[in-house]
Short mmCIF file of all heavy atoms in Angstrom, two decimals:
data_model
loop_
_atom_site.label_atom_id
_atom_site.label_comp_id
_atom_site.label_asym_id
_atom_site.label_seq_id
_atom_site.Cartn_x
_atom_site.Cartn_y
_atom_site.Cartn_z
N ASP A 205 109.40 -39.13 -75.77
CA ASP A 205 110.15 -38.41 -76.75
C ASP A 205 110.24 -36.97 -76.30
O ASP A 205 109.41 -36.48 -75.57
CB ASP A 205 109.58 -38.60 -78.17
CG ASP A 205 108.43 -37.64 -78.43
OD1 ASP A 205 107.60 -37.39 -77.57
OD2 ASP A 205 108.38 -37.16 -79.59
N PRO A 206 111.30 -36.23 -76.72
CA PRO A 206 111.54 -34.88 -76.18
C PRO A 206 110.35 -33.95 -76.32
O PRO A 206 110.09 -33.11 -75.45
CB PRO A 206 112.76 -34.37 -76.99
CG PRO A 206 113.42 -35.65 -77.47
CD PRO A 206 112.33 -36.65 -77.65
N ASP A 207 109.62 -34.05 -77.47
CA ASP A 207 108.48 -33.15 -77.64
C ASP A 207 107.36 -33.41 -76.62
O ASP A 207 106.74 -32.48 -76.17
CB ASP A 207 107.93 -33.29 -79.07
CG ASP A 207 108.93 -32.74 -80.13
OD1 ASP A 207 109.63 -31.81 -79.77
OD2 ASP A 207 108.93 -33.23 -81.23
N THR A 208 107.14 -34.69 -76.35
CA THR A 208 106.08 -35.02 -75.35
C THR A 208 106.58 -34.59 -73.98
O THR A 208 105.79 -33.95 -73.23
CB THR A 208 105.79 -36.54 -75.37
OG1 THR A 208 105.50 -36.97 -76.69
CG2 THR A 208 104.62 -36.93 -74.48
N ALA A 209 107.84 -34.91 -73.65
CA ALA A 209 108.35 -34.51 -72.34
C ALA A 209 108.28 -32.99 -72.09
O ALA A 209 107.98 -32.55 -70.98
CB ALA A 209 109.77 -34.99 -72.20
N ALA A 210 108.50 -32.23 -73.15
CA ALA A 210 108.47 -30.77 -73.04
C ALA A 210 107.05 -30.25 -72.68
O ALA A 210 106.93 -29.10 -72.23
CB ALA A 210 108.98 -30.13 -74.33
N LYS A 211 106.03 -31.05 -72.92
CA LYS A 211 104.63 -30.59 -72.67
C LYS A 211 104.21 -30.95 -71.24
O LYS A 211 103.05 -30.73 -70.90
CB LYS A 211 103.72 -31.29 -73.66
CG LYS A 211 103.90 -30.84 -75.08
CD LYS A 211 103.05 -31.60 -76.03
CE LYS A 211 103.33 -31.25 -77.50
NZ LYS A 211 102.66 -32.16 -78.41
N ILE A 212 105.12 -31.47 -70.42
CA ILE A 212 104.77 -31.91 -69.08
C ILE A 212 105.28 -30.88 -68.07
O ILE A 212 106.48 -30.54 -68.04
CB ILE A 212 105.35 -33.33 -68.75
CG1 ILE A 212 104.74 -34.34 -69.75
CG2 ILE A 212 105.05 -33.71 -67.34
CD1 ILE A 212 105.31 -35.72 -69.65
N SER A 213 104.34 -30.31 -67.27
CA SER A 213 104.68 -29.28 -66.30
C SER A 213 104.39 -29.77 -64.89
O SER A 213 103.41 -30.47 -64.63
CB SER A 213 103.90 -28.03 -66.53
OG SER A 213 104.17 -27.48 -67.83
N PHE A 214 105.25 -29.40 -63.96
CA PHE A 214 105.04 -29.77 -62.57
C PHE A 214 104.47 -28.57 -61.78
O PHE A 214 105.03 -27.46 -61.84
CB PHE A 214 106.41 -30.17 -61.93
CG PHE A 214 107.05 -31.30 -62.62
CD1 PHE A 214 108.41 -31.27 -62.96
CD2 PHE A 214 106.34 -32.44 -62.94
CE1 PHE A 214 109.01 -32.32 -63.65
CE2 PHE A 214 106.91 -33.53 -63.62
CZ PHE A 214 108.28 -33.43 -63.94
N LEU A 215 103.37 -28.87 -61.07
CA LEU A 215 102.74 -27.79 -60.29
C LEU A 215 102.86 -28.12 -58.80
O LEU A 215 102.65 -29.32 -58.43
CB LEU A 215 101.28 -27.66 -60.71
CG LEU A 215 100.97 -27.49 -62.22
CD1 LEU A 215 99.47 -27.28 -62.43
CD2 LEU A 215 101.71 -26.26 -62.77
N SER A 216 103.08 -27.08 -58.03
CA SER A 216 103.25 -27.37 -56.57
C SER A 216 101.91 -27.52 -55.89
O SER A 216 101.76 -28.19 -54.89
CB SER A 216 104.08 -26.28 -55.93
OG SER A 216 103.59 -25.03 -56.32
N GLY A 217 100.87 -26.82 -56.41
CA GLY A 217 99.58 -26.88 -55.71
C GLY A 217 98.40 -26.45 -56.53
O GLY A 217 98.53 -26.11 -57.72
N GLN A 218 97.26 -26.46 -55.89
CA GLN A 218 95.96 -26.20 -56.58
C GLN A 218 95.83 -24.78 -57.15
O GLN A 218 95.24 -24.60 -58.18
CB GLN A 218 94.83 -26.51 -55.60
CG GLN A 218 94.82 -27.99 -55.18
CD GLN A 218 93.73 -28.32 -54.17
OE1 GLN A 218 93.04 -27.39 -53.69
NE2 GLN A 218 93.54 -29.56 -53.87
N LYS A 219 96.36 -23.82 -56.43
CA LYS A 219 96.29 -22.42 -56.95
C LYS A 219 96.90 -22.33 -58.29
O LYS A 219 96.37 -21.69 -59.22
CB LYS A 219 97.07 -21.53 -55.99
CG LYS A 219 96.24 -20.96 -54.85
CD LYS A 219 95.65 -19.60 -55.22
CE LYS A 219 94.91 -18.93 -54.07
NZ LYS A 219 93.77 -19.66 -53.59
N GLU A 220 98.03 -23.01 -58.50
CA GLU A 220 98.75 -22.96 -59.74
C GLU A 220 97.93 -23.61 -60.87
O GLU A 220 97.87 -23.14 -62.01
CB GLU A 220 100.09 -23.72 -59.60
CG GLU A 220 101.24 -22.97 -60.12
CD GLU A 220 102.56 -23.72 -59.97
OE1 GLU A 220 102.71 -24.45 -58.98
OE2 GLU A 220 103.38 -23.67 -60.89
N LEU A 221 97.22 -24.70 -60.51
CA LEU A 221 96.42 -25.43 -61.46
C LEU A 221 95.28 -24.55 -61.99
O LEU A 221 94.90 -24.65 -63.14
CB LEU A 221 95.84 -26.69 -60.88
CG LEU A 221 95.08 -27.67 -61.79
CD1 LEU A 221 95.96 -28.12 -62.97
CD2 LEU A 221 94.57 -28.88 -61.02
N GLN A 222 94.74 -23.67 -61.11
CA GLN A 222 93.65 -22.82 -61.52
C GLN A 222 94.02 -21.79 -62.55
O GLN A 222 93.15 -21.12 -63.13
CB GLN A 222 93.00 -22.16 -60.28
CG GLN A 222 92.29 -23.17 -59.45
CD GLN A 222 91.54 -22.60 -58.28
OE1 GLN A 222 91.29 -21.40 -58.23
NE2 GLN A 222 91.14 -23.47 -57.33
N ARG A 223 95.31 -21.59 -62.77
CA ARG A 223 95.75 -20.70 -63.87
C ARG A 223 95.35 -21.33 -65.23
O ARG A 223 95.17 -20.61 -66.22
CB ARG A 223 97.24 -20.45 -63.79
CG ARG A 223 97.65 -19.44 -62.76
CD ARG A 223 99.11 -19.46 -62.46
NE ARG A 223 99.96 -19.49 -63.63
CZ ARG A 223 101.31 -19.72 -63.57
NH1 ARG A 223 101.90 -19.94 -62.41
NH2 ARG A 223 102.02 -19.77 -64.68
N TYR A 224 95.27 -22.64 -65.21
CA TYR A 224 95.01 -23.37 -66.50
C TYR A 224 93.59 -23.95 -66.61
O TYR A 224 93.08 -24.13 -67.70
CB TYR A 224 96.01 -24.48 -66.64
CG TYR A 224 97.42 -24.04 -66.45
CD1 TYR A 224 98.13 -24.31 -65.29
CD2 TYR A 224 98.06 -23.22 -67.45
CE1 TYR A 224 99.43 -23.82 -65.07
CE2 TYR A 224 99.36 -22.78 -67.25
CZ TYR A 224 100.05 -23.07 -66.05
OH TYR A 224 101.34 -22.63 -65.86
N ILE A 225 92.97 -24.20 -65.48
CA ILE A 225 91.62 -24.74 -65.43
C ILE A 225 90.80 -23.96 -64.44
O ILE A 225 91.19 -23.83 -63.28
CB ILE A 225 91.63 -26.26 -65.06
CG1 ILE A 225 92.54 -27.02 -66.00
CG2 ILE A 225 90.19 -26.83 -65.08
CD1 ILE A 225 92.81 -28.48 -65.59
N ALA A 226 89.69 -23.38 -64.89
CA ALA A 226 88.85 -22.57 -63.98
C ALA A 226 88.21 -23.47 -62.90
O ALA A 226 87.91 -24.61 -63.13
CB ALA A 226 87.76 -21.85 -64.84
N PRO A 227 87.99 -22.84 -61.68
CA PRO A 227 87.42 -23.63 -60.57
C PRO A 227 86.13 -24.36 -60.93
O PRO A 227 85.93 -25.50 -60.47
CB PRO A 227 87.17 -22.57 -59.52
CG PRO A 227 88.15 -21.49 -59.80
CD PRO A 227 88.31 -21.47 -61.29
N ASP A 228 85.28 -23.74 -61.79
CA ASP A 228 83.99 -24.47 -62.07
C ASP A 228 84.17 -25.63 -63.01
O ASP A 228 83.25 -26.38 -63.27
CB ASP A 228 82.96 -23.49 -62.62
CG ASP A 228 83.34 -22.91 -64.03
OD1 ASP A 228 84.53 -23.03 -64.38
OD2 ASP A 228 82.47 -22.38 -64.68
N GLN A 229 85.36 -25.79 -63.54
CA GLN A 229 85.70 -26.95 -64.41
C GLN A 229 86.63 -27.95 -63.68
O GLN A 229 87.05 -28.93 -64.30
CB GLN A 229 86.40 -26.47 -65.68
CG GLN A 229 85.53 -25.62 -66.57
CD GLN A 229 84.37 -26.38 -67.19
OE1 GLN A 229 84.58 -27.42 -67.82
NE2 GLN A 229 83.17 -25.89 -67.01
N LEU A 230 86.91 -27.70 -62.44
CA LEU A 230 87.89 -28.45 -61.70
C LEU A 230 87.20 -29.25 -60.60
O LEU A 230 86.36 -28.68 -59.86
CB LEU A 230 88.86 -27.45 -61.05
CG LEU A 230 90.32 -27.93 -60.73
CD1 LEU A 230 91.03 -28.51 -61.90
CD2 LEU A 230 91.10 -26.72 -60.21
N PRO A 231 87.48 -30.55 -60.49
CA PRO A 231 86.85 -31.37 -59.46
C PRO A 231 87.12 -30.81 -58.05
O PRO A 231 88.19 -30.23 -57.83
CB PRO A 231 87.49 -32.73 -59.64
CG PRO A 231 88.03 -32.78 -61.00
CD PRO A 231 88.43 -31.35 -61.30
N GLU A 232 86.24 -31.10 -57.12
CA GLU A 232 86.40 -30.61 -55.76
C GLU A 232 87.63 -31.05 -55.11
O GLU A 232 88.28 -30.30 -54.39
CB GLU A 232 85.15 -31.12 -54.96
CG GLU A 232 83.85 -30.36 -55.35
CD GLU A 232 82.62 -30.97 -54.71
OE1 GLU A 232 82.65 -32.10 -54.23
OE2 GLU A 232 81.57 -30.23 -54.71
N GLU A 233 88.10 -32.30 -55.38
CA GLU A 233 89.30 -32.80 -54.69
C GLU A 233 90.57 -32.02 -55.15
O GLU A 233 91.62 -32.13 -54.46
CB GLU A 233 89.49 -34.30 -54.86
CG GLU A 233 89.82 -34.77 -56.22
CD GLU A 233 90.27 -36.19 -56.26
OE1 GLU A 233 91.32 -36.52 -55.69
OE2 GLU A 233 89.58 -37.02 -56.89
N LEU A 234 90.44 -31.30 -56.22
CA LEU A 234 91.60 -30.49 -56.66
C LEU A 234 91.32 -29.00 -56.44
O LEU A 234 91.96 -28.17 -57.08
CB LEU A 234 91.93 -30.77 -58.13
CG LEU A 234 92.63 -32.13 -58.35
CD1 LEU A 234 92.65 -32.50 -59.80
CD2 LEU A 234 94.06 -32.09 -57.76
#
Side-chain angles (χ1 to χ4, degrees):
D205 84 319
D207 290 330
T208 307
K211 294 174 185 170
I212 299 174
S213 298
F214 301 132
L215 307 182
S216 49
Q218 297 177 352
K219 272 266 184 299
E220 230 181 321
L221 186 58
Q222 290 186 16
R223 282 167 45 192
Y224 309 105
I225 304 169
D228 67 342
Q229 294 292 308
L230 205 53
E232 290 172 341
E233 70 167 294
L234 285 168

